[in-house]
Structures are given as C-alpha cells and as structure tokens.
Amino acid sequence: MNILRAKKEIINTVKAYLAKDADGTYLIPSVHQRPILLMGPPGIGKTAIMEQAASECGIALVSYTITHHTRQSAIGLPFLTKRNYGGIEHTITEYTMSEIIASVYDKMEQTGLQEGILFIDEINCVSETLAPTMLQFLQRKTFGSHAVPQGWVIVAAGNPPEYNKSVRDFDVVTLDRLKRIDVEENYDVWKKYAYRRQLHAAILSYLDIKKQHFYTFETTVDGQAFVTARGWEDLSQFLLASERLGLPVDESVIGEYVQHPRIARDFAAYYDLFQKYQSDYHVDEILSGNLPASALERLQGAPFDERLSVIGLLIGRLTEQFSAAYYTDLSITRLFDSLKAIKRAMERESLSTLLSEESNRIRTELAARQKAAAVDRREASALLHAAQKLEEYQNQLSAQAIRDPEAGFAVISDGFQSSVQAMDAQADTASGMLEAAFAFLETAFGKSQEMVVFVTELNTNFFCTWFIGQNGSEAYTRNNKELMIGKQRQELMGDIGKIKSFLTVL
C-alpha cells in the first residue's frame, strides 16, 4: 500500500489499541496488541508518518534506530544482587533498565503524556548479538527484564533484503505475533505531503515531468545509484536555504543528496532552467496583475515542459502566500481564544495577571508539544507569536498605567482588531495574486490542458485548498467547474498523460 494508506492504518490501530471501556480498561488487552511491522524501501517517509500519526492521535513519540545500539544499551547493564531462596541467600545477576525503556519514561515525564508510540527503525538489520533481544521485544514487548509501559504502541520498521545486505528474516513464530504493513513508494501520494511541507517548487515541477526519477535504486559497475523521497526533501531544504543566503548550487551539490549521477545531472540542468524561467517570465509581475506581453508570447510558443515549469513557479509563489495566510490565521485564532478566556475571567483576576497566565499557558502547551514532536516549526512560530501579542498587551497596559479592566480590555480589543485587519489585508493580497494567475493562464491558453494542470495542482495543495475554502475565488470556482468534471476533464488529463509519457521517453 502507499504511505498515506499506511499512515491511516497506523492511526486506526493506535486508536483501537488505546480505546478503553467504562472502567478504564483497554478494550484490546496488551497481550493481543500486536506490534506493527512497517516494511518498505528506505527513504519513503516511514519515520515521517510516525511523527504525523503521533501528532494526530495526541500522544507522545519515542523514536530509535536500533542499528545504533549495542546489546547493553538495549537490555541494560548487568549487576550483582542478593536474593533469598528457600532460606538460602544467593548472588544473582540483574540488569539496569534499558536505555530505550528509560527514554519512554523520560518522555512521559517531559510531556505529561502517558500514552505514545515507541518506534524502532531498521528492526531487521540488527547485529547477531542483538537479534535475540529484538525477537524477545517483538514477541513479549520487553527489553531485558523491563516491559514497555501500558498505553505505548510498538511500531517497528524494516527494509526488504534487496535494499540492505544486513537484513535478517523473521521466523514464523515472530511474524505470527506482528501486524505487518508493506509500503511502496508513490509519487502522487508523496506530493500531497511535499506541498504541506512546502518543498521547493523546482523539485515538484521536475518530478511532475519525470515521475520515474522520484524513487530509484540501481546497481551499477560503480556501486549503488539511488534517489529517495528523503533525498528530495533534504535537497529541498538545502536549496531554499542556499537561495536565501545567495549560495551557489551546482550538480556536485545536488549529487550529495540525489545519489544517482544521471538524475543529479538532469535535475541540475532543470534547476538552472527553472531559475532562468523565474526571471524570464517575471512571475511576481504576473501575480501583481500585470500581464507582460513578452512573457505571454514566449509562453504560448513554449514546449509543454516549459509551460509546466511556469505553472510550477506560479504554484510555488501562491503556496508561499497561502501558507503565510494559514499560519497568520492560526496565530490570530489562538489569540482570539485566549482573549475570550480572559474576558470571562476578568471578574476574579486582574487583567495583567490573566494576560500573563494565558501567555504562559500557550508557551507551556507549546513546549510540551515540541518535546512530544507534535508540532512543526511554522506552527510553533505562529503559536509563539500569539503568546508574544498577549505579552505586548500586558506591557502596553502597564506603560499607559491603565487599571480599569474594562478600559484595558477596550485597548486590547483595538489592538486585536488591528491584527485582524492586517490578516484580512494579507488574505486580500493573496486572493488578488490567485485571480491574477488565472487571468494570465486564461489569456495565454484559455480552457486548455495547462489550465487543467493548474487547477489540479491547486486541488492537490493543502494550503491552496485551505485558502480557497476560507476566502473563495470566482476564477477558481469557474475553472474548476468547467475543467474538473465530466468527460472533458478525462479527455484532457489523458492528453497530459500521453504528453508526459512522450517527454519521459525523451
């Protein structure tokens, strides 16, 4: 199955394992909660979906790559102790707590979450001395003499033998105690994740044209040549940082992430073209409502892959705007919730105290989510901004020596309305850019396959669908209705498939 379906299966399993009856007893006893074994090629996002699953279930996550561990760190160190058996004292060997089990208890203490996922990666690539310990772990949910705490779901991941010479097969006894999920790479599914993570537009545009380069493993005379989903994502992060800092990126740099010489060379050439298109087509001018005649004329005569690249540039810039609007909305919504709580509590506490309490509450909740790996960087920044606004309000009231709570809240309300107006202005700007993009493409192509591609990308992109759902778009509604339903859409998408297949052969 694809990685998205696997994520859903894991979430459903976690929900079932953690469900309780009226007495607080788990519906499925621990002995029948089979560990999940996630098998699939390396670098397709197995670790990423564990983070997402834990976040969506509101539980903690402890993640380990088991090949980094020795037998001692996995089961603990031996020590001698005295025990009395039948009136006779004996010296026996016991073990300190496993580092892995200890980390689970540490996570519970840090986050306050008593339930979670214990994720063990590369489970079938352990050393010979550690292999029996891993079998015991999967069969009995223990490391040495210490059990995984109740409420913690075990998920293990491994690679098929064709990707790793160190792979060990599990015996039937072990497999019969596992819930096995086999995962395959799938670009269309990964692309939705890539949009949410805001991967570089050049990478997505390139892979749209050459989908077969998304995930490849080959054995050559020079060794293994490969590229993975993880490689593309890490390359994206480096490209974005390099562009911001003005650092050069060439084929050798790309080859450090795309470890397949032919694909690295091909993408390096495409990346240079993509950068050139950004300048040649004046994307920012297009999205500001100007329709440069030179850009229109060139685009109308351009080959299909160049047209796709320009659409990728437009989508990339729109995604930047829509995602900024999304996180602003997230921050303002959290701030609004805090102000509502403050308004209700003004009779029992001073306004300054309530502002401080709400700010601390946001920061405490955020810190706990960060420790649980349940929040990404931009969401954390949005929530932190809400806390900072509360602190600004508190400082403002103090500077103006406002003591009356009603008068103080009126000042805060004015400040909040200013923030809302700024958010609305931001959304208006983004809406204008979207309408301008449609106007440009309608002028250039009319109701063609290029417009189908553009609307399809909008429908695939999380931030685009969120923004349009919140703010609407007359041009989107019109084109989506005309192009994305019925026989016309099927015929146009079939044409695109044929063109892409032809380009792939080239």
Side-chain angles (χ1 to χ4, degrees):
M1 66 178 68
N2 63 56
I3 199 75
L4 187 62
R5 172 69 189 279
K7 173 186 166 183
K8 186 64 177 175
E9 287 289 323
I10 291 168
I11 289 174
N12 289 344
T13 301
V14 169
K15 288 180 178 178
Y17 284 179
L18 300 184
K20 300 175 183 177
D21 62 19
D23 297 325
T25 303
Y26 288 106
L27 294 179
I28 301 177
S30 178
V31 68
H32 295 299
Q33 292 183 9
R34 290 189 171 201
I36 301 168
L37 177 61
L38 201 60
M39 293 293 291
I44 63 171
K46 296 189 291 293
T47 303
I49 66 167
M50 298 316 306
E51 295 171 352
Q52 296 167 34
S55 177
E56 291 182 28
C57 291
I59 59 177
L61 173 69
V62 171
S63 180
Y64 271 92
T65 300
I66 199 62
T67 49
H68 299 167
H69 282 269
T70 64
R71 184 174 181 274
Q72 285 75 24
S73 63
I75 69 171
L77 295 171
F79 66 91
L80 298 178
T81 188
K82 302 287 187 180
R83 289 286 181 87
N84 192 293
Y85 298 113
I88 301 175
E89 188 177 78
H90 296 270
T91 301
I92 65 168
T93 301
E94 289 191 0
Y95 287 85
T96 59
M97 180 175 283
S98 158
E99 177 186 323
I100 296 172
I101 298 296
S103 69
V104 172
Y105 284 104
D106 287 341
K107 183 69 72 170
M108 293 164 67
E109 192 170 298
Q110 292 167 1
T111 64
L113 299 171
Q114 300 305 301
E115 297 176 326
I117 295 173
L118 174 55
F119 178 59
I120 306 294
D121 201 6
E122 298 183 14
I123 190 75
N124 57 345
C125 298
V126 297
S127 65
E128 185 175 348
T129 58
L130 196 53
T133 299
M134 288 300 99
L135 294 179
Q136 179 195 42
F137 167 65
L138 293 174
Q139 292 179 11
R140 300 182 183 178
K141 302 176 185 174
T142 62
F143 277 113
S145 57
H146 302 279
V148 176
Q150 269 204 326
W152 281 74
V153 178
I154 297 171
V155 182
N159 301 322
E162 58 265 32
Y163 296 100
N164 195 321
K165 295 179 181 178
S166 303
V167 162
R168 296 174 176 275
D169 290 329
F170 293 125
D171 56 46
V172 174
V173 174
T174 301
L175 289 173
D176 192 38
R177 288 175 166 83
L178 303 175
K179 178 173 180 173
R180 176 168 175 159
I181 299 175
D182 291 296
V183 188
E184 299 174 337
E185 67 275 9
N186 184 303
Y187 172 67
D188 291 329
V189 168
W190 178 81
K191 186 177 179 181
K192 294 180 181 179
Y193 163 82
Y195 269 135
R196 184 67 189 265
R197 301 286 289 185
Q198 294 184 259
L199 263 66
H200 199 290
I203 291 175
L204 296 178
S205 183
Y206 172 77
L207 292 176
D208 277 339
I209 299 169
K210 300 193 175 180
K211 222 178 257 192
Q212 77 278 14
H213 290 172
F214 166 58
Y215 195 98
T216 301
F217 264 80
E218 295 178 11
T219 301
T220 69
V221 292
D222 297 319
Q224 285 190 322
F226 62 92
V227 57
T228 69
R230 178 167 50 221
W232 287 117
E233 183 171 4
D234 291 346
L235 173 61
S236 171
Q237 295 292 330
F238 189 81
L239 290 178
L240 293 169
S242 295
E243 290 173 7
R244 184 171 181 175
L245 298 172
L247 302 176
V249 175
D250 57 18
E251 180 184 333
S252 63
V253 172
I254 291 169
E256 294 165 5
Y257 297 89
V258 179
Q259 298 183 51
H260 190 296
R262 176 172 54 82
I263 296 176
R265 188 182 320 110
D266 194 46
F267 177 73
Y270 180 83
Y271 178 67
D272 288 342
L273 270 178
F274 194 84
Q275 298 292 88
K276 185 174 184 297
Y277 293 154
Q278 189 162 6
S279 173
D280 291 351
Y281 281 99
H282 309 286
V283 171
D284 287 331
E285 285 187 38
I286 292 171
L287 294 177
S288 68
N290 298 320
L291 298 178
S294 59
L296 274 172
E297 183 178 350
R298 174 174 174 176
L299 190 60
Q300 288 169 337
F304 189 68
D305 58 342
E306 185 170 331
R307 298 179 187 184
L308 286 181
S309 298
V310 173
I311 290 172
L313 283 165
L314 294 173
I315 291 289
R317 289 290 289 117
L318 288 172
T319 300
E320 290 176 15
Q321 296 299 313
F322 296 159
S323 63
Y326 173 84
Y327 288 110
T328 298
D329 182 89
L330 180 66
S331 181
I332 294 295
T333 299
R334 185 64 181 86
L335 181 58
F336 180 65
D337 290 340
S338 291
L339 293 180
K340 284 197 301 182
I342 289 171
K343 181 68 174 176
R344 290 193 298 266
M346 279 172 51
E347 292 183 359
R348 62 175 176 81
E349 290 279 3
S350 72
L351 192 53
S352 178
T353 299
L354 291 171
L355 287 167
S356 178
E357 287 177 353
E358 276 298 316
S359 173
N360 290 336
R361 182 175 291 109
I362 293 174
R363 289 180 179 275
T364 300
E365 291 172 359
L366 177 58
R369 290 183 63 191
Q370 287 175 322
K371 288 177 181 177
V375 61
D376 64 30
R377 176 180 58 84
R378 294 196 67 183
E379 183 180 356
S381 178
L383 295 174
L384 183 59
H385 185 262
Q388 290 169 341
K389 289 299 293 184
L390 292 169
E391 291 155 9
E392 286 178 19
Y393 296 152
Q394 185 181 13
N395 293 334
Q396 184 180 6
L397 297 182
S398 177
Q400 297 179 15
I402 298 175
R403 299 286 183 266
D404 179 68
E406 294 297 334
F409 199 82
V411 171
I412 292 171
S413 296
D414 289 342
F416 178 74
Q417 287 304 316
S418 296
S419 297
V420 171
Q421 289 170 6
M423 178 181 69
D424 291 341
Q426 182 185 41
D428 289 342
T429 298
S431 291
M433 294 172 72
L434 178 60
E435 299 301 312
F438 271 112
F440 175 74
L441 293 174
E442 286 173 342
T443 303
F445 306 117
K447 303 297 185 287
S448 63
Q449 65 262 35
E450 288 84 2
M451 186 62 80
V452 174
V453 171
F454 184 66
V455 174
T456 300
E457 294 306 300
L458 291 177
N459 290 335
T460 303
N461 189 318
F462 168 82
F463 293 109
C464 293
T465 56
W466 173 85
F467 183 85
I468 293 170
Q470 291 289 314
N471 299 278
S473 167
E474 187 277 330
Y476 167 83
T477 301
R478 182 179 68 252
N479 282 282
N480 191 54
K481 183 177 180 181
E482 293 175 359
L483 297 175
M484 300 307 291
I485 60 175
K487 184 177 179 180
Q488 182 182 13
R489 176 182 183 277
Q490 296 176 357
E491 291 173 349
L492 289 173
M493 292 306 291
D495 291 341
I496 293 172
K498 292 176 184 176
I499 294 171
K500 284 187 177 181
S501 297
F502 177 70
L503 290 171
T504 297
V505 172
L506 292 180

